[in-house]
Amino acid sequence: MITFQRITSPSDSRFPEMLKLYKSAFPSTERRSTGELQQEIKNSERFYANALMSDNKMVGIFNYWIFDSFIYLEHFAVNPDLRGKNLGAKSLETLKKIAGKHLVVLEVEMPQTAIATRRIEFYKRSGFDIVPKDYAQPPYNSHGFMLPMLLMADNVHVAKTQFEKIKNSIYKEVYRYKMQES
């Protein structure tokens, strides 16, 4: 059985292992600095940094944000030596149970590499689909740039109708990104 155990402090004994996987699984352009991650864990009520647990062992990380009408899955990784054991699919099932009737959305890289394509197919097998709207991930730091990505959701119809609200919430709360006025 997969469970999520929320990490609420950088002094949590699971934080170092979580941080190691976080840094190895995501390039620096797609993650926060260690200090910024620690600040979100300590200060944001919406942010849930979780150790993915199975048989009292940390098997991955699963970080998400809870908004009024949706849950945004920000970072999700299974330990490399445990991949292929259906832990990822089970984790997404657990998140959907937590979400209840709330929409679940996530970002994926454009399908320009074999790994990115496999990741999209994995999410599709788990009940997600691509939201047919232009989307870009804001930078995590002031030196970064907008990164073209795809938004996926477990209910594309709802995601399309609420797209601007979802995008604006993610930009404002997750990335602290201010849209340029035209």
Side-chain angles (χ1 to χ4, degrees), residues 154-169:
D154 64 347
N155 184 328
V156 173
H157 174 71
V158 171
K160 282 187 341 188
T161 60
Q162 295 183 11
F163 181 76
E164 287 302 317
K165 178 183 176 185
I166 292 166
K167 182 179 84 169
N168 291 339
S169 295

Side-chain angles (χ1 to χ4, degrees), residues 2 11 14 16 20-21 24 31 43 45 50-52 57 78 80 87-88 99 114 118-119 147 155-156 176:
I2 295 288
S11 62
R14 296 162 298 191
K20 182 179 176 185
L21 179 56
S24 68
R31 63 176 158 81
N43 299 324
E45 292 178 17
N50 295 282
L52 265 181
K57 178 181 176 188
V78 172
L87 296 171
R118 281 196 309 267
R119 192 171 293 124
L147 186 61
N155 184 328
V156 173
R176 311 282 192 265

Side-chain angles (χ1 to χ4, degrees), residues 58-171:
M58 187 172 154
V59 298
I61 61 172
F62 209 97
N63 300 339
Y64 59 88
W65 294 74
I66 296 180
F67 293 96
D68 294 340
S69 61
F70 70 98
I71 291 180
Y72 168 67
L73 174 54
E74 184 179 18
H75 291 105
F76 167 38
V78 172
N79 289 332
D81 57 334
L82 298 172
R83 291 183 184 149
K85 298 181 188 277
N86 210 25
L87 296 171
K90 290 177 183 175
S91 299
L92 287 171
E93 287 174 23
T94 300
L95 179 64
K96 286 181 178 183
K97 288 177 186 169
I98 291 169
K101 293 182 181 182
H102 282 83
L103 178 71
V104 178
V105 297
L106 55 95
E107 297 168 342
V108 291
E109 296 167 335
M110 300 297 251
Q112 298 170 333
T113 66
I115 291 172
T117 300
R118 281 196 309 267
R119 192 171 293 124
I120 290 168
E121 291 306 315
F122 163 75
Y123 286 118
K124 283 183 175 183
R125 286 191 306 275
S126 296
F128 290 82
D129 213 341
I130 294 170
V131 179
K133 298 274 192 176
D134 288 338
Y135 181 82
Q137 178 194 65
Y140 275 101
N141 60 57
S142 61
H143 311 306
F145 52 91
M146 296 294 278
L147 186 61
M149 300 278 262
L150 297 171
L151 204 62
M152 296 186 79
D154 64 347
N155 184 328
V156 173
H157 174 71
V158 171
K160 282 187 341 188
T161 60
Q162 295 183 11
F163 181 76
E164 287 302 317
K165 178 183 176 185
I166 292 166
K167 182 179 84 169
N168 291 339
S169 295
I170 293 170
Y171 280 19

